[in-house]
Amino acid sequence: MHTYARQPLQIVRGEGVYVFDEQGRAYLDFTSGIAVCGLGHCHPALVAAATDQLQQLWHISNIYLTAPQAELAARLTKMSGMDQVFFANSGAEANEAAIKLARRYSKQKYGAHKGEILTFAHSFHGRTIATVTATAQPKYQEGFGPLPGGFRYVEQATIQAVKEAVTEKTSAILIEPIQGEGGVRPFPTEFLHELREFCTRMGLLLIFDEVQTGAGRTGAWLAWQRLGIKPDIVTMAKSLAGGLPMGAMLAVQEVAQVFTPGTHGSTFGGNPVAARAALALMDVMSAPGFFEQVRRREQQLYGELVKLAALREDIVDVRGLGLMWGMQLKTPRAGEVVERCRELGLLVLTAGPDTLRLLPPLIVSQKDVELAVNILQAALG
Ligand SMILES: *Cc1c(COP(=O)(O)O)cnc(C)c1O
């Protein structure tokens, strides 16, 4: 169905930070499949792990254990600072699981009246009926009513606005520490600290949607670890298995224990092939110096973008963290710049009509960043 406004480009192969079209033309990929191929395309360690698993076992129901899933659960919880994990297949599903867990926990702890979830203006949490309702942007919801109840929106990133939105029914606050689809908008760290403190004081759960920011994107395994603000529940997906579908919802013990046998499930969640790819990705990212290298590229890219913005009147803002950057233009011509970049051999994204979005693989070199910025500058005209 026509649900995507596709670019006129068919990609047949990817290798590292490059993808190739049918004619064999190379494109420097600063999209990473929208923050999915965090280690670039066909990383040898991931190819080897997934191929090995394909020859052993593709799938078995979650009524049985598999070693890859068990090992991944152990390593992922440890690396994420959480106690338990539920495996899903996508970001929306991970968020659905978080919504269910938060409601069940708060109902058991405080009573059946609980269940409301607060989310923020410009957020994006997925496309299922519940997660599109959590997504506080009318354009994603239009034509899909009746939408489920139990979501309230906070219009501004202030504790005052949060206080006004909270009711006695509120269970949790769901927030992307850096909003992705909504325009690459980092929340002020000070606000996130206040939010953490507020949730703890009010008995509310803090849920971080790290579907886009997770698995290394911000220069740490999870953005919360870089920001120093720990949520009670965190969701991941996109880059978790480096390009194979996998989602995860992680929580601290006290909250996680309300999910008992039969309360939630997924046919494909924690698939052994995806689990092996995720384990290989975690191996690469836990090697000494990996995130230091990502942060060196962050400094370089941020520096170059700021320099570019200083030279040009049509760039009004540069914002982001790690290797997730948005460049806001004065006019809504981001789509046109994306096209021009593509013609010049660089793939970039938009995040709204006036914002360009750069999500390079975390393995980009200094030269890749230089080349991308040069093309971007040419494309801006
Ligand atoms: C992409 C995204 C989702 C949805 O993930 P899907 O895998 O497409 O369901 C949810 N939250 C955030 C922050 C995202 O960036």
Side-chain angles (χ1 to χ4, degrees):
M1 297 191 188
H2 266 284
T3 54
Y4 306 101
R6 294 195 204 269
Q7 302 268 318
L9 185 61
Q10 184 162 304
I11 304 293
V12 295
R13 193 169 69 81
E15 190 182 331
V17 297
Y18 279 93
V19 293
F20 301 86
D21 70 10
E22 295 151 290
Q23 278 80 46
R25 185 166 180 216
Y27 297 84
L28 181 56
D29 182 10
F30 267 46
T31 72
S32 304
I34 315 194
V36 170
C37 303
L39 291 176
H41 298 276
C42 296
H43 189 288
L46 274 61
V47 172
T51 305
D52 181 57
Q53 186 59 40
L54 275 171
Q55 284 159 349
Q56 287 186 49
L57 181 74
W58 288 30
H59 173 85
I60 194 75
S61 164
N62 274 315
I63 61 175
Y64 305 104
L65 267 179
T66 68
Q69 189 185 120
E71 195 187 330
L72 181 61
R75 288 198 41 204
L76 184 58
T77 47
K78 188 152 185 268
M79 199 151 158
S80 307
M82 293 283 150
D83 298 312
Q84 291 193 34
V85 58
F86 176 85
F87 288 114
N89 312 285
S90 67
E93 272 185 72
N95 285 336
E96 289 266 351
I99 292 163
K100 286 178 76 174
L101 183 71
R103 285 184 172 170
R104 197 174 164 86
Y105 170 79
S106 64
K107 280 180 198 293
Q108 283 190 6
K109 186 156 182 191
Y110 303 108
H113 63 289
K114 286 282 188 179
E116 249 169 32
I117 314 276
L118 304 192
T119 65
F120 287 82
H122 310 293
S123 58
F124 183 85
H125 299 296
R127 303 280 199 156
T128 61
I129 284 288
T131 58
V132 90
T133 306
T135 295
Q137 296 195 61
K139 70 170 180 182
Y140 290 107
Q141 300 172 347
E142 211 184 295
F144 297 129
L147 299 174
F151 293 93
R152 287 168 67 85
Y153 307 137
V154 184
E155 294 304 324
Q156 276 172 347
T158 65
I159 286 299
Q160 190 53 38
V162 173
K163 277 183 188 155
E164 281 162 20
V166 167
T167 74
E168 74 284 350
K169 296 181 188 161
T170 307
S171 295
I173 296 177
L174 169 61
I175 186 168
E176 299 153 84
I178 300 160
Q179 292 180 329
E181 304 304 304
V184 193
R185 297 165 192 266
F187 282 94
T189 308
E190 187 50 39
F191 170 70
L192 293 174
H193 275 293
E194 287 171 11
L195 196 60
R196 172 68 276 181
E197 194 268 329
F198 179 78
C199 285
T200 305
R201 186 153 44 84
M202 302 292 289
L204 304 173
L205 294 174
L206 181 61
I207 309 171
F208 274 6
D209 177 346
E210 294 224 33
V211 168
Q212 189 157 154
T213 54
R217 181 52 52 188
T218 66
W221 175 247
L222 286 163
W224 86 253
Q225 293 162 326
R226 178 131 188 216
L227 301 169
I229 298 140
K230 189 178 177 184
D232 304 296
I233 300 175
V234 65
T235 57
M236 303 179 71
K238 292 203 162 85
S239 179
L240 179 54
L244 289 179
M246 174 168 267
M249 186 273 290
L250 299 114
V252 296
Q253 181 60 32
E254 188 195 330
V255 182
Q257 45 100 21
V258 305
F259 264 8
T260 51
T263 49
H264 196 43
S266 164
T267 295
F268 290 116
N271 170 277
V273 183
R276 285 289 299 277
L279 281 165
L281 176 133
M282 291 176 73
D283 276 341
V284 173
M285 291 195 186
S286 3
F290 182 86
F291 288 119
E292 284 78 0
Q293 173 67 11
V294 173
R295 291 189 197 191
R296 276 196 290 277
R297 295 289 77 78
E298 167 189 3
Q299 286 312 312
Q300 184 196 356
L301 182 57
Y302 174 57
E304 293 287 339
L305 293 177
V306 166
K307 242 194 276 171
L308 195 57
L311 290 172
R312 305 183 59 103
E313 292 241 309
D314 57 344
I315 300 172
V316 295
D317 198 14
V318 172
R319 50 181 188 251
L321 190 69
L323 287 175
M324 176 175 180
W325 288 94
M327 196 161 87
Q328 192 177 347
L329 307 175
K330 212 178 216 164
T331 55
R333 61 183 285 257
E336 182 194 311
V337 178
V338 166
E339 247 173 70
R340 189 77 193 110
C341 283
R342 190 184 65 239
E343 286 160 11
L344 296 169
L346 172 70
L347 303 185
V348 295
L349 296 160
T350 61
D354 63 353
T355 303
L356 288 164
R357 180 166 42 148
L358 306 179
L359 294 167
L362 307 181
I363 54 161
V364 277
S365 68
Q366 186 171 354
K367 281 214 163 68
D368 297 328
V369 172
E370 271 166 29
L371 179 59
V373 174
N374 285 342
I375 295 177
L376 189 59
Q377 184 163 13
L380 283 162

